[in-house]
Amino acid sequence: MRVGFIGLGRMGRPMAENILAAGHTLVVHNRSPEPVAALAARGAVAADTPAASAGRAEVVCLCLPDPEAVRQVVAGPGGLLEAVCPGLTVVDFSTVDPETSRAMAGLLSERGAFYLDAPVSGGTVGARAGTLTVMVGGDGAAFERARPVLEVVGRHITHVGPSGTGSAVKLANQLIVGVTTAAIAEAMVLVARAGVRPDVAAAVLRSGFARSVVLERHLSDFILKGAFEPAFKLELLEKDVRLACDLGRQTGVRLLVTNLVHQVLVEAKALGFGDQDMAAAIRPLERLAGVEVRAPEV
Amino acid sequence: MRVGFIGLGRMGRPMAENILAAGHTLVVHNRSPEPVAALAARGAVAADTPAASAGRAEVVCLCLPDPEAVRQVVAGPGGLLEAVCPGLTVVDFSTVDPETSRAMAGLLSERGAFYLDAPVSGGTVGARAGTLTVMVGGDGAAFERARPVLEVVGRHITHVGPSGTGSAVKLANQLIVGVTTAAIAEAMVLVARAGVRPDVAAAVLRSGFARSVVLERHLSDFILKGAFEPAFKLELLEKDVRLACDLGRQTGVRLLVTNLVHQVLVEAKALGFGDQDMAAAIRPLERLAGVEVRAPEV
Amino acid sequence: MRVGFIGLGRMGRPMAENILAAGHTLVVHNRSPEPVAALAARGAVAADTPAASAGRAEVVCLCLPDPEAVRQVVAGPGGLLEAVCPGLTVVDFSTVDPETSRAMAGLLSERGAFYLDAPVSGGTVGARAGTLTVMVGGDGAAFERARPVLEVVGRHITHVGPSGTGSAVKLANQLIVGVTTAAIAEAMVLVARAGVRPDVAAAVLRSGFARSVVLERHLSDFILKGAFEPAFKLELLEKDVRLACDLGRQTGVRLLVTNLVHQVLVEAKALGFGDQDMAAAIRPLERLAGVEVRAPEV
Amino acid sequence: MRVGFIGLGRMGRPMAENILAAGHTLVVHNRSPEPVAALAARGAVAADTPAASAGRAEVVCLCLPDPEAVRQVVAGPGGLLEAVCPGLTVVDFSTVDPETSRAMAGLLSERGAFYLDAPVSGGTVGARAGTLTVMVGGDGAAFERARPVLEVVGRHITHVGPSGTGSAVKLANQLIVGVTTAAIAEAMVLVARAGVRPDVAAAVLRSGFARSVVLERHLSDFILKGAFEPAFKLELLEKDVRLACDLGRQTGVRLLVTNLVHQVLVEAKALGFGDQDMAAAIRPLERLAGVEVRAPEV
């Protein structure tokens, strides 16, 4: 299949590599040139503009940082709308709000093309391994046509419903990740201040009702080690939780806890932790309480 | 070993049954007589007062609803202090605040006895199966002496540190459970209002980064079914989260999210959901948003 | 002076009437025709479009419900930009975000015209009496040229700074009004549940450190009477507090309390109180607590 | 009248001085000796213990920092209960929780004595001027007997209802003061970050709907000057708001905003601002946002 891919960042690049390795013809575009060159060295075709990546493609994938970037790549100068052919399916792996998803779907349908919101969960580890969870909103037939590409990048692939519903579920996912992140920060600083060894507390919490993917990840890979190199940047979590808050505003759902957690992430960004891993959300509270939740030797 | 057991509620009763089944001599006391009779029918000895359960016992277990009940059973009329012999170890499976734990340890040490705060996680399922997580604070030698009993009730048994640290870790556990409960409520009502089928959303969330023991339990066993018969009552969660808030006050740790979630639970209690399962924390938000997150046929 | 006036709602209409009564030539436009007819009967000229109200005017006043309406009236079809002459000053009494204010100022300056953000505080009482507080952002010379109109509608008229600063101060004002509204709700329901007579509590609070314009207004004119006919609708307060939250997002300021209060107002709207007076923010809490803070005879 | 006075702190001392100046016989007790000596120099009698201050007195006034101190002075060693005669009226000017008030009333009534909770609002300025607002709970006849003393210290004196209702209204007052304090912090930091001059913003806010006693006080006397010498310490506000939260817990009232504001005050204490004036609640947010809301020359 001829596939375009726009956005070769931390997530997009390994996904594109897997699509290429699966034998598809790949045309790639990225704002900065370095990842394009790397993919080209493996056999991908480089495209100067989003539009150029879409020519003759059956599927064009997007993996972009925010709704503004998606709107630009679709409808901006040199954007997909300038090149789109009837029957093209755009698969948007970016995390955006449902409103943006529906707007993009509307613009593309005017040209006889399709847009699937197809955000992913699973992090860079899942992106490399091709085991991402993919939640897809949009036309059912377009979903079936895009399936060969979806199955390369993900393991759990679900057609959630009409346009925008994939984005909505992804925001719900990020909401839970964000709130759990804040809960872990409060819990671990609390026990540290109460005189419990962080590694002992972590071992207990892991074995009981508090166990979660986020707890495991944050404590083992980041907090206890004191290593906050980003696998998923805090500022991206802040953005995703903000989009969840906005969806709450639009649908009139009271999101008390989510909005508070958003402000906690705003605080962490203001303190300079935005480009660290999202697990660094514990650091403002550590500083405030005068403790560090570390067990580097573990 | 001769073991006393005080408090034969939803958790205590199966724990006591397991201790009896493991071959220990068991003397039981409970405020209401029915569970005492049931245990006696299986070979336990009935005791009229907490004090009576302690005579000649090496270990006395407590499994009580709140700090006040513990203080009463230990230091009230007919309480353990009236009968305690040097060398006795009191193992308190109740969820209480560290201050209460340390106070009880102090009172018992004046009589040459020991107090271990040994709260558990794992619910009634874990209590019946003898697979609870047990987090123990207090004297190390007393912990070793009580180990035969601890190993009957639990699988993950950790000596966390000095008196009160077991209670502190349990409150951290409950904090995470409570906050995650609130996050799931907001996430599921949000996607339901955005037009996603609850069972589809649940399947996706389960397979990604949002996965947790609490998510699995709340959605599968309660929310989607619309069955809120309590395995763990919402009002107990409210109590535990309140104790976590109090520990934050005492240690000067800012617990923004935990305190907000506590108020959300206060609201759910005020609306009459206190004696339903803690998963019913979603119901006030469902009512407010005019949706129900149900998939009964699943 | 020849003055255009667009937006003859609860606030705009009495302001326009005062401008007319002060002897200015007034050209009015409104979405619904009834208030236009009423003003025309007093001697104003009716205009079919925003653009038509601007012809030969020296000053055009806007008094619109939200940023979208302002953008539409300025830049939409039939909007001011189609008719604007160099030297025109647009005085925007609407409560909008600073970004909208700066964007409008930019668009008008391209035509040699001026835009002043000039939101007001003081309610319909102040609008009728011509005693509003007016906080103005934008060009200093344009401010001086518009002064004859500003002095008709307001008593405290302040040139706050460059474009957008008037809007920023207004949002700060609304933030304080919104948070105080929520505080009064919690305080009054709390004392009512503690068995204090609402009128007695109100009298005490009024005479001490809790005294404020908002306390006086909410208790005397609305809550104690149980009369929630809107002088300022709750849904407008919700909108204004939302804009304050957005300004916090844009400037990176952590607004914990304001964001929570916004959600409390979202809840009140979801419960159907959006078109009652903002003092009705107490009603969800009254319902939840099972009390009513009333003293109708007072 | 013979009057005892216990607690000669920032508030109690000027109140005691006024009672002395009004011609009453005054017997004073205080933990630290200096203020006792100062009062004695003006003609008061010094008492070594609370009990000693009560002998032959008709009224004993308390002005103490928290509920624990009140319980100690009434029921501790050397406390009032050791000396109380039938007919004595204890007037408690301290800010305590209604439960403590009712408990003290109960203990004193067993001896035929009376307890009035009579907390005050108005600050040290009001204490010196004898213009405090006094909200009194308890027996009506005892209130009448204590009136000569109450009228010396206050201007607005209200018999609110039975025992504990004075305390409840005071907590509601402090709740409003605390939440307004937080609102002002968020509002002023927001406009400062948006580029508005703090003194200009303050002048506008003062003249509109945001006007309140707290706004006037905080901005003029503390924030704009950058002078945070305490007239009322932040840590006392934290304590009072905490007691309001506790009253909410006891009565089952959801206090979302109040609990959040309490945590904001906990944060300010943790950052070392506890012994500055309560207006210093703005300082953590200033630090976080990198601005200072000052206009020292004004």
Side-chain angles (χ1 to χ4, degrees):
Chain A
M1 195 181 275
R2 189 175 176 93
V3 179
F5 204 109
I6 301 167
L8 302 168
R10 207 178 290 272
M11 290 294 288
R13 187 167 165 173
M15 293 165 76
E17 286 170 359
N18 286 337
I19 292 169
L20 191 63
H24 296 291
T25 303
L26 194 70
V27 187
V28 296
H29 172 73
N30 194 57
R31 215 167 39 172
S32 66
E34 192 271 325
V36 172
L39 265 292
R42 297 185 177 205
V45 180
D48 279 350
T49 61
S53 76
R56 291 183 298 132
E58 293 162 76
V59 167
V60 173
C61 303
L62 314 184
C63 198
L64 298 164
D66 54 39
E68 292 69 36
V70 168
R71 287 171 182 267
Q72 201 62 25
V73 158
V74 172
L80 291 177
L81 286 181
E82 297 182 359
V84 74
C85 298
L88 174 73
T89 298
V90 175
V91 178
D92 187 3
F93 295 125
S94 323
T95 298
V96 302
D97 54 299
E99 199 176 303
T100 293
S101 299
R102 284 191 299 266
M104 297 305 100
L107 289 173
L108 285 158
S109 77
E110 291 172 9
R111 313 290 176 96
F114 298 88
Y115 170 94
L116 301 172
D117 40 305
V120 299
S121 180
T124 50
V125 173
R128 273 190 292 271
T131 59
L132 293 166
T133 292
V134 194
M135 40 213 102
V136 186
D139 180 72
F143 172 71
E144 290 307 328
R145 285 196 300 276
R147 195 186 273 280
V149 172
L150 294 170
E151 288 186 340
V152 172
V153 303
R155 180 183 291 157
H156 299 277
I157 297 157
T158 310
H159 185 228
V160 175
S163 198
T165 55
S167 292
V169 173
K170 178 63 192 292
L171 295 184
N173 188 80
Q174 295 305 86
L175 179 170
I176 294 175
V177 170
V179 174
T180 309
T181 296
I184 292 164
E186 296 195 352
M188 292 304 294
V189 169
L190 184 64
V191 292
R193 273 293 292 264
V196 182
R197 275 180 45 189
D199 54 338
V200 174
V204 173
L205 293 175
R206 250 176 220 146
S207 67
F209 256 48
R211 186 171 65 243
S212 67
V213 175
V214 172
L215 181 85
E216 193 56 39
R217 173 199 186 280
H218 285 10
L219 287 178
S220 305
D221 299 346
F222 299 92
I223 296 172
L224 294 179
K225 285 182 183 166
F228 295 101
E229 285 297 303
F232 186 78
K233 284 189 184 176
L234 191 146
E235 65 192 18
L236 287 174
L237 184 63
E238 184 273 323
K239 186 263 295 178
D240 291 353
V241 175
R242 174 160 42 82
L243 294 177
C245 291
D246 286 344
L247 183 57
R249 290 178 177 191
Q250 289 156 23
T251 53
V253 177
R254 183 192 77 173
L255 297 179
L256 291 173
V257 181
T258 308
N259 274 281
L260 181 63
V261 168
H262 179 244
Q263 291 301 306
V264 168
L265 295 171
V266 164
E267 174 188 77
K269 263 186 75 176
L271 289 170
F273 298 116
D275 59 2
Q276 297 194 5
D277 187 77
M278 60 175 163
I282 198 174
R283 301 190 75 180
L285 198 53
E286 288 181 336
R287 193 181 280 183
L288 195 54
V291 295
E292 292 209 329
V293 178
R294 301 287 175 276
E297 72 289 354
V298 178
Chain B
M1 195 181 274
R2 190 176 176 91
V3 179
F5 204 108
I6 301 167
L8 302 168
R10 207 178 289 272
M11 291 292 290
R13 186 166 166 175
M15 292 165 76
E17 287 171 357
N18 286 337
I19 293 169
L20 192 62
H24 297 290
T25 305
L26 194 69
V27 188
V28 296
H29 173 74
N30 193 57
R31 215 165 38 171
S32 68
E34 191 272 326
V36 172
L39 266 291
R42 298 186 178 205
V45 181
D48 280 349
T49 62
S53 76
R56 290 184 300 132
E58 293 163 77
V59 167
V60 174
C61 302
L62 314 183
C63 198
L64 298 164
D66 55 38
E68 293 66 40
V70 168
R71 288 172 183 267
Q72 201 61 23
V73 157
V74 172
L80 291 176
L81 286 180
E82 296 182 0
V84 74
C85 296
L88 174 72
T89 298
V90 175
V91 177
D92 186 2
F93 295 124
S94 323
T95 297
V96 302
D97 55 298
E99 199 175 303
T100 293
S101 299
R102 284 191 299 267
M104 297 304 100
L107 289 173
L108 284 159
S109 78
E110 290 172 11
R111 311 292 176 94
F114 298 88
Y115 170 94
L116 300 172
D117 40 305
V120 299
S121 180
T124 50
V125 173
R128 274 191 292 270
T131 59
L132 293 166
T133 293
V134 195
M135 40 213 103
V136 186
D139 181 73
F143 171 72
E144 290 306 327
R145 285 197 300 277
R147 193 186 275 279
V149 173
L150 294 170
E151 289 186 338
V152 171
V153 302
R155 179 184 291 159
H156 298 277
I157 298 157
T158 309
H159 184 227
V160 174
S163 197
T165 55
S167 292
V169 173
K170 177 64 191 291
L171 295 185
N173 187 81
Q174 296 305 86
L175 179 171
I176 293 175
V177 170
V179 174
T180 308
T181 297
I184 291 163
E186 296 195 352
M188 292 305 294
V189 170
L190 184 64
V191 291
R193 273 294 292 266
V196 182
R197 274 181 45 191
D199 54 338
V200 174
V204 173
L205 293 175
R206 251 177 218 144
S207 67
F209 255 47
R211 186 171 65 241
S212 68
V213 175
V214 173
L215 180 84
E216 192 56 40
R217 172 200 187 280
H218 285 10
L219 287 178
S220 305
D221 299 346
F222 300 92
I223 296 172
L224 293 179
K225 284 182 185 166
F228 295 100
E229 284 298 303
F232 186 78
K233 283 189 186 176
L234 191 147
E235 66 192 18
L236 287 174
L237 185 63
E238 184 274 322
K239 185 263 295 177
D240 291 353
V241 174
R242 174 161 41 83
L243 294 177
C245 291
D246 288 343
L247 184 56
R249 290 179 177 190
Q250 289 156 23
T251 53
V253 177
R254 183 193 75 173
L255 297 179
L256 291 174
V257 180
T258 308
N259 274 278
L260 181 63
V261 168
H262 180 244
Q263 291 302 307
V264 168
L265 296 171
V266 164
E267 175 188 75
K269 265 185 74 177
L271 290 170
F273 298 116
D275 60 1
Q276 297 194 5
D277 186 78
M278 59 175 164
I282 199 173
R283 301 190 75 180
L285 198 54
E286 288 181 335
R287 192 180 284 183
L288 195 53
V291 295
E292 292 210 327
V293 178
R294 301 285 176 276
E297 74 288 356
V298 178
Chain C
M1 197 182 274
R2 189 174 175 93
V3 179
F5 204 109
I6 301 167
L8 301 169
R10 207 178 290 274
M11 290 293 289
R13 186 168 165 172
M15 292 165 76
E17 287 170 358
N18 286 336
I19 292 170
L20 193 62
H24 297 289
T25 304
L26 194 69
V27 187
V28 296
H29 173 73
N30 194 58
R31 217 166 39 173
S32 67
E34 191 270 326
V36 172
L39 267 290
R42 296 187 179 205
V45 180
D48 279 350
T49 62
S53 76
R56 291 184 298 131
E58 292 163 76
V59 167
V60 173
C61 302
L62 314 182
C63 198
L64 298 163
D66 54 40
E68 293 68 38
V70 168
R71 288 172 183 267
Q72 202 61 26
V73 158
V74 172
L80 290 178
L81 286 181
E82 298 182 359
V84 73
C85 297
L88 175 73
T89 298
V90 175
V91 178
D92 187 2
F93 294 125
S94 322
T95 297
V96 302
D97 55 298
E99 201 175 303
T100 293
S101 298
R102 284 190 299 266
M104 296 306 100
L107 289 173
L108 285 160
S109 77
E110 291 172 11
R111 312 292 174 95
F114 299 89
Y115 171 93
L116 300 172
D117 39 305
V120 299
S121 180
T124 49
V125 173
R128 273 192 291 272
T131 59
L132 294 166
T133 293
V134 194
M135 40 212 104
V136 186
D139 181 72
F143 171 72
E144 290 306 328
R145 283 197 300 277
R147 194 186 275 280
V149 172
L150 295 170
E151 288 188 339
V152 171
V153 303
R155 179 183 292 158
H156 298 276
I157 299 157
T158 309
H159 184 229
V160 173
S163 197
T165 55
S167 292
V169 173
K170 177 64 192 292
L171 295 184
N173 188 82
Q174 296 305 85
L175 179 171
I176 294 175
V177 170
V179 174
T180 308
T181 296
I184 292 164
E186 296 195 353
M188 291 305 295
V189 170
L190 184 63
V191 292
R193 272 295 290 267
V196 182
R197 273 179 48 189
D199 55 338
V200 174
V204 173
L205 292 174
R206 249 176 221 148
S207 66
F209 256 48
R211 185 172 63 242
S212 67
V213 175
V214 172
L215 180 84
E216 192 57 39
R217 174 198 186 279
H218 285 10
L219 289 178
S220 306
D221 298 345
F222 300 92
I223 297 173
L224 294 179
K225 285 183 184 164
F228 294 101
E229 284 298 304
F232 186 78
K233 283 189 184 176
L234 192 146
E235 64 192 19
L236 288 175
L237 185 62
E238 185 273 323
K239 185 262 296 178
D240 291 352
V241 174
R242 172 161 43 81
L243 294 177
C245 291
D246 287 343
L247 183 57
R249 289 178 177 191
Q250 290 156 22
T251 53
V253 176
R254 183 191 76 174
L255 297 180
L256 292 173
V257 180
T258 308
N259 274 278
L260 181 64
V261 168
H262 179 243
Q263 291 302 307
V264 168
L265 295 172
V266 164
E267 175 188 78
K269 263 185 75 175
L271 290 170
F273 299 117
D275 59 2
Q276 296 192 6
D277 187 77
M278 59 175 165
I282 198 173
R283 302 190 73 180
L285 197 54
E286 288 180 336
R287 192 181 283 183
L288 194 53
V291 294
E292 292 209 327
V293 178
R294 300 287 175 276
E297 72 289 352
V298 177
Chain D
M1 197 182 273
R2 189 174 176 95
V3 180
F5 204 108
I6 301 168
L8 301 169
R10 206 179 290 273
M11 290 293 290
R13 187 167 165 174
M15 292 165 77
E17 286 170 358
N18 286 337
I19 293 170
L20 192 62
H24 297 290
T25 303
L26 194 71
V27 187
V28 295
H29 173 73
N30 193 57
R31 216 166 40 172
S32 67
E34 193 271 326
V36 173
L39 265 292
R42 296 186 177 207
V45 180
D48 280 349
T49 62
S53 77
R56 291 184 298 130
E58 292 163 77
V59 167
V60 173
C61 303
L62 314 183
C63 197
L64 298 164
D66 53 41
E68 294 68 38
V70 168
R71 286 171 184 268
Q72 202 61 25
V73 157
V74 172
L80 290 178
L81 286 181
E82 297 182 0
V84 75
C85 296
L88 175 71
T89 298
V90 174
V91 178
D92 187 2
F93 295 124
S94 323
T95 297
V96 303
D97 54 298
E99 199 176 304
T100 294
S101 299
R102 285 191 297 266
M104 297 305 101
L107 289 173
L108 284 160
S109 78
E110 290 172 12
R111 311 294 174 91
F114 299 89
Y115 170 94
L116 301 172
D117 40 306
V120 298
S121 179
T124 48
V125 172
R128 272 191 292 272
T131 59
L132 293 166
T133 293
V134 195
M135 39 212 103
V136 186
D139 182 74
F143 170 72
E144 291 306 328
R145 285 197 300 277
R147 195 186 273 280
V149 172
L150 295 169
E151 289 187 338
V152 171
V153 303
R155 179 183 293 159
H156 299 276
I157 299 157
T158 309
H159 185 228
V160 174
S163 198
T165 54
S167 292
V169 173
K170 179 62 192 291
L171 295 184
N173 187 80
Q174 296 305 86
L175 180 170
I176 294 175
V177 170
V179 174
T180 308
T181 296
I184 292 164
E186 296 196 352
M188 290 305 295
V189 170
L190 184 64
V191 291
R193 273 294 290 267
V196 181
R197 275 180 47 189
D199 54 338
V200 174
V204 173
L205 294 175
R206 248 176 223 146
S207 66
F209 256 47
R211 186 171 64 242
S212 68
V213 175
V214 172
L215 180 85
E216 192 57 39
R217 175 199 185 278
H218 285 11
L219 288 178
S220 306
D221 299 345
F222 300 92
I223 296 172
L224 294 179
K225 284 182 183 165
F228 294 101
E229 285 298 303
F232 186 76
K233 284 189 184 177
L234 190 147
E235 66 192 18
L236 287 175
L237 185 62
E238 184 274 323
K239 185 264 294 178
D240 291 353
V241 174
R242 173 161 42 82
L243 294 177
C245 291
D246 288 344
L247 184 57
R249 290 178 177 190
Q250 289 156 22
T251 53
V253 177
R254 183 192 76 172
L255 297 179
L256 292 173
V257 180
T258 308
N259 274 278
L260 181 64
V261 167
H262 180 243
Q263 292 301 307
V264 168
L265 295 172
V266 164
E267 174 188 76
K269 263 186 77 177
L271 290 170
F273 298 117
D275 59 2
Q276 296 193 6
D277 186 78
M278 59 175 164
I282 198 174
R283 301 192 72 180
L285 198 54
E286 288 182 334
R287 193 181 280 184
L288 195 54
V291 294
E292 292 210 326
V293 179
R294 301 287 175 276
E297 72 289 353
V298 178

